[in-house]
Amino acid sequence: MVQPQIRYDDGAAYERMMGAWSRIAGEVFLDWLAPPPGLRWIDVGCGTGAFTELLVERCAPAEVQGIDLSEAQLSFARARPAGRIAKFHRGDALALPFGEDTFDAAVMALVIFFVPDPTKGVAEMARVVRPGGTVATYVWDMMGGGHPLELMHAEMHAMGFAAPPAPFRRVRRGGAAELVDEFRPRCGRSARDHCATNIC
């Protein structure tokens, strides 16, 4: 069966639908991460820049670079107030256009399930972060009912309709732990030496 292609070619529409939810999740994530000020950040899969804007507002960054495949999403991100500080580029999470040890922190907010090879994506994040830096990602709890559209999906199911499938085949119980296990041997010695993993 062919899975429908997910397209993000309207940044304003996406922001109307998911922007508030993305911001709430990002606030919780930054509370948990508690980064110090003055870091050099890369936001991989930045989309409309909702999380990038939180980085600018809350973290007093020295630098923020946002990367996304969708030019429409990037156009929306560039128009945000954070666009005065953050720089946004079209790029691929599997081949980040930066050298090794460029950043202090790399984040992937609500994106990893859309990356065709998530372990390679995380390894790329580790490559561009200095030893001792932070590589972090978070996602909705798709299988545990923690997605903003869960109520809509439940109603669709009650009416006999199938809810849209999760974007990535590993969105299932235990998927996060599997990704961590796969990531460790592929990310290289220096990244493993400075790697801590928390699954909330």
Side-chain angles (χ1 to χ4, degrees):
M1 181 168 103
V2 176
Q3 187 164 330
Q5 181 182 10
I6 299 171
R7 296 177 57 194
Y8 295 103
D9 53 6
D10 187 334
Y14 182 83
E15 184 67 16
R16 282 192 304 274
M17 183 179 95
M18 293 300 293
W21 298 110
S22 298
R23 188 173 179 90
I24 290 167
E27 293 272 9
V28 171
F29 179 69
L30 283 176
D31 288 345
W32 172 77
L33 196 61
L39 299 182
R40 298 163 299 153
W41 292 85
I42 180 169
D43 183 2
V44 181
C46 64
T48 60
F51 186 75
T52 318
E53 191 153 74
L54 286 175
L55 290 175
V56 170
E57 291 172 359
R58 292 189 44 175
C59 300
E63 174 187 0
V64 182
Q65 301 286 340
I67 300 290
D68 202 272
L69 282 174
S70 169
E71 190 56 49
Q73 298 255 338
L74 290 168
S75 292
F76 191 94
R78 289 182 187 114
R80 285 181 176 274
R84 292 189 301 268
I85 295 170
K87 304 299 181 210
F88 295 98
H89 313 273
R90 190 167 189 280
D92 188 343
L94 301 180
L96 296 174
F98 297 98
E100 294 182 7
D101 306 338
T102 301
F103 301 99
D104 302 302
V107 290
M108 190 181 284
L110 305 172
V111 173
I112 198 164
F113 290 145
F114 298 96
V115 178
D117 184 346
T119 52
K120 183 175 180 184
V122 174
E124 266 294 279
M125 292 167 69
R127 180 185 66 78
V128 300
V129 169
R130 65 170 173 78
T134 298
V135 174
T137 183
Y138 65 96
V139 294
W140 301 115
D141 180 9
M142 303 283 281
M143 299 305 292
H147 189 274
L149 302 180
E150 180 62 27
L151 292 176
M152 182 185 76
H153 289 180
E155 287 301 313
M156 289 176 66
H157 181 72
M159 294 171 21
F161 296 102
F168 176 57
R169 67 187 183 281
R170 289 199 191 135
V171 181
R172 62 175 189 269
R173 295 199 191 285
E178 280 184 17
L179 290 176
V180 169
D181 290 343
E182 287 184 24
F183 162 67
R184 286 185 182 279
R186 292 184 59 181
C187 67
R189 184 192 60 78
S190 62
R192 286 198 304 273
D193 290 347
H194 301 282
C195 182
T197 303
N198 290 34
I199 300 175
C200 302

